[in-house]
Amino acid sequence: MINFIVTLISIICILTSGLLKNVWAGFVYFALVFSCFITLYWAIMLIIKYINKYRKNIDEDFNFYVATLVNKTNLNITDIENNKAYYLKKFKKSQWTQKCEALIKIGFCLGIFIACFVLFFTI
């Protein structure tokens, strides 16, 4: 909910500043500052989400992966426990596309932040 509120307030401030640029040219700077703020905010939130999901909560996701694997195939839990290293490696490979997607989102937010930041100092 806090993400929605912060995003909504920032978008309203960006739009208001953009509409008021004809009144005073300095409002362009306010729009750029709010753009930098919102992209940096979302980049930080996505980084925190990435760390929590792929670094800290790996055991919970692996247990869910094992449960789905047991339900979909003829494997027993004892078979998976005996070859835990193999299935853990297979689990990490299965998350590769999700990790890449999350990193692309983070890179996109940081790219827009850098572009707005550079634009702020070149205007």
Side-chain angles (χ1 to χ4, degrees):
M1 187 67 180
I2 187 94
N3 293 338
F4 178 74
I5 293 170
V6 169
T7 304
L8 185 65
I9 290 172
S10 295
I11 289 175
I12 289 171
C13 290
I14 290 169
L15 291 175
T16 305
S17 298
L19 292 173
L20 292 174
K21 70 177 179 162
N22 293 332
V23 176
W24 179 53
F27 280 114
V28 173
Y29 292 108
F30 287 116
L32 284 172
V33 167
F34 287 118
S35 298
C36 286
F37 168 73
I38 193 67
T39 54
L40 186 62
Y41 174 79
W42 274 106
I44 291 170
M45 294 306 291
L46 289 172
I47 289 169
I48 290 170
K49 183 179 175 184
Y50 178 84
I51 290 171
N52 287 335
K53 183 169 184 177
Y54 298 111
R55 299 286 185 221
K56 292 183 179 178
N57 296 337
I58 198 162
D59 293 332
E60 294 174 11
D61 292 338
F62 180 68
N63 290 337
F64 181 73
Y65 175 77
V66 167
T68 56
L69 194 63
V70 167
N71 288 334
K72 289 183 179 180
T73 61
N74 293 331
L75 293 172
N76 296 337
I77 296 213
T78 57
D79 294 337
I80 294 174
E81 287 176 358
N82 291 338
N83 296 323
K84 189 173 183 175
Y86 170 75
Y87 288 107
L88 188 61
K89 185 177 179 181
K90 193 173 176 182
F91 166 69
K92 287 183 180 180
K93 282 185 181 179
S94 71
Q95 284 191 328
W96 186 76
T97 55
Q98 294 173 353
K99 285 183 179 181
C100 287
E101 183 180 310
L103 290 174
I104 288 171
K105 288 178 186 177
I106 292 168
F108 181 73
C109 287
L110 289 176
I112 291 176
F113 169 73
I114 291 169
C116 289
F117 193 74
V118 168
L119 190 61
F120 179 78
F121 286 110
T122 57
I123 290 183

